[in-house]
Amino acid sequence: MAQKWGKPTRDAGWTSIPNILIYRQKTLGLDSLDLNILLHLMTYWWQNEQKPYPSKATLAKSIGVTSGTIQKRIRAMEAGGLIKRIQRRRENNRSDTNEYDLSPLRDALVPHAEEELRERKKKHTERQKRKTTVNKPSTT
C-alpha cells in the first residue's frame, strides 16, 4: 500500500472497501452522498463485532453537508434495508451517538458479488472459446 499511495498516506489510515459497492452503487439505490456516508461509516468500523458510532455532526463536517442531511440519508438507507441504526443511551436515559450496523449492506452485496463473478466467468469462457476458434488449424 505504501508503494501505491505513499507511506504518510498509509500511516494516516486506510479502509478496505468492497469493489462491488462501487460497481453496483446505482443498482443498490445509492446516490453519491449515500456512498460518501457509507465510506465514512466504514472508516469507523474497525472490527466486525464493534459497530461504528460517529455522530451525525462528525459525518456532516467531514462531508460538507448539514447534520439534517446526514440524518435524512441515513433514514433513507435504513428504509432501503442497507443499514440499521441502533440507539445508544447514557446514564439517566440520555441519548448518545447511534451505532450503525452495516451487516444489512454486507448481506445486500452478496448477490451482487455472486452475479459479478458469474458474469466474469462467462466472459472468460467466451474469450477462451474465441481463442480456441481463432487458433484452430484449418482443415482445407
Side-chain angles (χ1 to χ4, degrees):
M1 174 143 168
Q3 290 176 335
K4 187 173 184 178
W5 293 104
K7 188 176 180 325
T9 301
R10 183 207 56 202
D11 291 350
W14 58 275
T15 302
S16 178
I17 307 298
N19 288 344
I20 200 69
L21 176 60
I22 309 297
Y23 299 156
R24 301 292 174 98
Q25 171 186 345
K26 184 177 179 183
T27 307
L28 290 163
L30 299 169
D31 66 19
S32 57
L33 180 55
D34 297 333
L35 189 58
N36 201 342
I37 291 167
L38 288 171
L39 294 175
H40 277 271
L41 288 173
M42 288 177 194
T43 67
Y44 291 93
W45 191 21
W46 303 303
Q47 298 172 353
N48 185 46
E49 63 280 350
Q50 186 177 7
K51 295 166 183 49
Y53 52 90
S55 70
K56 288 182 264 319
T58 297
L59 295 172
K61 183 178 178 186
S62 294
I63 296 171
V65 297
T66 66
S67 294
T69 298
I70 297 292
Q71 184 174 18
K72 178 181 173 185
R73 298 312 310 153
I74 286 175
R75 282 185 179 157
M77 287 187 281
E78 186 174 34
L82 296 176
I83 62 175
K84 189 183 336 180
R85 282 179 300 153
I86 302 166
Q87 290 186 355
R88 296 187 320 144
R89 296 286 179 190
R90 294 182 186 174
E91 291 180 26
N92 300 326
N93 206 28
R94 292 179 40 209
S95 291
D96 202 349
T97 60
N98 291 325
E99 277 187 338
Y100 298 99
D101 183 354
L102 300 177
S103 62
L105 174 63
R106 180 185 58 210
D107 296 344
L109 291 176
V110 170
H112 292 278
E114 291 170 342
E115 181 180 355
E116 178 75 17
L117 293 171
R118 282 190 301 273
E119 289 172 6
R120 287 181 189 177
K121 184 176 182 179
K122 182 180 176 184
K123 287 178 184 177
H124 175 75
T125 301
E126 289 170 357
R127 277 194 306 273
Q128 292 303 107
K129 276 184 180 179
R130 283 194 303 272
K131 281 182 182 178
T132 304
T133 303
V134 169
N135 294 332
K136 197 175 199 180
S138 175
T139 57
T140 55

